[in-house]
């Protein structure tokens, strides 16, 4: 029995260590034995982490105090030790303390909470790219609306047509379906660590790093919810309504989220894949995606896999 317990502890320890290493190598997705929030990969998510830790400084002492108080009352004032209970019906000091203390605690929580809420809906600068995410049963559709270039803006002012070859003048749209296990090889996404089961998609949302993204979210049939925990994004996708949010990824990589609103039988398999790339890679992808999204994604995936192999070889 003792050997079995030690083996179980050792196995759990090795699993936790492996999970921690996997979280470092592959951020932006859930991992086995994960206790904390996913790593913050955006300024808003970093603020959410801070607020979570800040709140714990209030929650933990309150829980300990209330548990200790309940234990003391049960021990000190049970029938055996307190055969004749007190008939006291009012205590001014206690009334004042238990009224003012919660008010002060709630104020300490409300002020940073409102500051975080304000930051979530007020980007630090004008968005440079707009992406509309439409939820369907059970996949996502993306429409890109890049900011106009100076030439395109001048054409619009002059009343002339913009250059159709300019990717900024041509909105890019595509659908993103869950990646089936039998399609991994053909898509070049066989690595389960990078493209996890039930999270990988055939076409990721591609965005540039260190860029303020305006996210417009709506539903095409029922209510969905676009949620990317590592990027601090969670916005409902409601049919007939356009909700707006913003985010900014500060690291390149591929990150995952899921629909977070119960939307039908395949709700469990409605993942969101966001691939964050350099500005140069994004411009090349956008130009290629204007004519063929699948080829543009395949080229980008192969390019990143090749670069990763070279780094690993070193």
């Amino acid at each position: 029995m003792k050997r079995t317990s030690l083996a179980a502890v050792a196995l759990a320890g090795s699993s936790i260590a492996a999970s921690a290493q996997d979280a470092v190598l592959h951020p932006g997705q859930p991992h086995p034995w994960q206790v904390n929030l996913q790593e913050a990969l955006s300024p808003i998510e970093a603020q959410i982490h801070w607020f979570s830790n800040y709140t714990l400084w209030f929650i933990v002492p309150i829980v300990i105090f209330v548990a200790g108080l309940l234990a003391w009352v049960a021990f000190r004032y049970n029938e055996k030790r307190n055969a004749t209970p007190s008939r006291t019906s009012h205590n001014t000091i206690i009334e004042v303390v238990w009224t003012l203390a919660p008010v002060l605690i709630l104020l300490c929580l409300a002020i940073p909470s409102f500051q975080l809420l304000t930051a979530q809906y007020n980007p630090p600068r004008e968005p440079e790219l707009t992406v509309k995410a439409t939820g369907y049963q059970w996949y996502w559709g993306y429409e890109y609306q890049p900011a106009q270039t100076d030439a395109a803006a001048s054409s619009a002012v002059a009343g002339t047509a913009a250059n159709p070859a300019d990717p900024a003048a041509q909105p890019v749209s595509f659908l993103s379906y869950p990646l089936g296990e039998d399609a991994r090889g053909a898509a070049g996404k066989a690595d389960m660590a990078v493209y996890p089961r039930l999270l990988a998609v055939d076409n990721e949302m591609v965005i540039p790093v260190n860029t303020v993204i305006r996210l417009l979210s709506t539903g095409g049939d029922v209510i969905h919810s676009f949620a990317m925990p590592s990027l601090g994004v969670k916005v409902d996708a409601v049919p007939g309504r356009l909700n707006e949010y913003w985010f900014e990824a500060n690291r390149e990589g591929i990150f995952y989220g899921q629909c977070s609103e119960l939307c039908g039988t395949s709700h469990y398999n409605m993942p969101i894949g966001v691939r964050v790339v350099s500005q140069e890679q994004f411009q090349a992808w956008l130009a290629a995606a204007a004519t063929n999204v699948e080829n543009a994604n395949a080229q980008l995936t192969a390019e990143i896999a090749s670069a990763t192999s070279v780094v690993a070889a070193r």
Side-chain angles (χ1 to χ4, degrees):
M1 179 66 72
K2 187 175 181 180
R3 290 182 179 178
T4 303
S5 301
L6 290 175
V9 171
L11 180 61
S14 62
S15 299
I16 294 174
S19 175
Q21 183 180 9
D22 190 38
V24 173
L25 295 176
H26 305 289
Q29 59 178 275
H31 301 280
W33 296 89
Q34 188 170 19
V35 176
N36 294 323
L37 300 174
Q38 291 185 26
E39 183 179 354
L41 303 175
S42 73
I44 287 297
E45 182 62 18
Q47 292 186 49
I48 293 174
H49 280 216
W50 178 88
F51 184 69
S52 174
N53 296 331
Y54 172 80
T55 305
L56 283 177
W57 284 99
F58 294 88
I59 294 175
V60 172
I62 290 172
V63 170
I64 293 175
F65 172 74
V66 172
L69 189 62
L70 287 173
W72 168 251
V73 169
F75 172 78
R76 176 62 182 80
Y77 297 103
N78 59 51
E79 186 178 4
K80 183 184 295 185
R81 290 181 173 81
N82 193 41
T84 306
S86 171
R87 300 294 182 181
T88 303
S89 61
H90 181 76
N91 187 302
T92 302
I93 295 178
I94 293 178
E95 294 278 355
V96 171
V97 169
W98 74 27
T99 300
L100 290 182
V103 169
L104 292 175
I105 291 172
L106 290 176
L107 279 175
C108 291
L109 293 174
I111 293 173
S113 174
F114 290 150
Q115 290 174 337
L116 174 59
L117 186 63
T118 300
Q120 287 178 306
Y121 290 94
N122 291 276
R125 57 188 183 276
E126 194 65 25
E128 302 157 74
L129 175 68
T130 298
V131 181
K132 180 181 178 183
T134 304
Y136 301 97
Q137 292 178 310
W138 291 268
Y139 57 96
W140 292 92
Y142 299 116
E143 298 176 39
Y144 284 68
Q145 301 168 10
Q148 285 187 321
T149 62
D150 293 339
S154 300
S155 298
V157 171
T160 59
N163 180 7
D166 184 359
Q170 286 188 316
V172 173
S173 62
F174 58 91
L175 299 177
S176 177
Y177 291 92
L179 184 65
E181 296 303 304
D182 55 346
R184 286 181 172 274
K189 299 179 178 180
D191 189 347
M192 296 285 284
V194 180
Y195 304 99
R197 179 177 175 270
L198 297 182
L199 286 178
V201 298
D202 58 353
N203 296 313
E204 294 89 8
M205 175 199 291
V206 181
I207 60 170
V209 69
N210 297 325
T211 301
V212 175
I213 310 296
R214 177 192 285 114
L215 177 67
L216 303 178
S217 180
T218 188
D221 36 43
V222 299
I223 299 177
H224 302 276
S225 182
F226 189 96
M228 287 292 302
S230 60
L231 296 178
V233 177
K234 189 175 188 299
V235 55
D236 286 344
V238 183
R241 180 171 180 172
L242 206 60
N243 290 328
E244 181 175 335
Y245 201 77
W246 76 272
F247 66 97
E248 178 183 6
N250 53 26
R251 183 188 300 185
E252 295 181 29
I254 181 167
F255 313 129
Y256 296 99
Q258 290 177 301
C259 174
S260 294
E261 182 70 33
L262 188 61
C263 57
T265 56
S266 293
H267 165 69
Y268 74 95
N269 190 25
M270 189 176 171
I272 302 167
V274 174
R275 188 184 289 278
V276 183
V277 297
S278 67
Q279 293 284 349
E280 295 76 14
Q281 287 175 320
F282 176 74
Q283 292 301 329
W285 174 87
L286 190 63
T291 56
N292 192 311
V293 173
E294 286 73 17
N295 287 345
N297 286 339
Q299 292 173 7
L300 182 61
T301 300
E303 178 185 346
I304 293 174
S306 177
T308 303
S309 301
V310 171
V311 173
R314 292 178 181 175

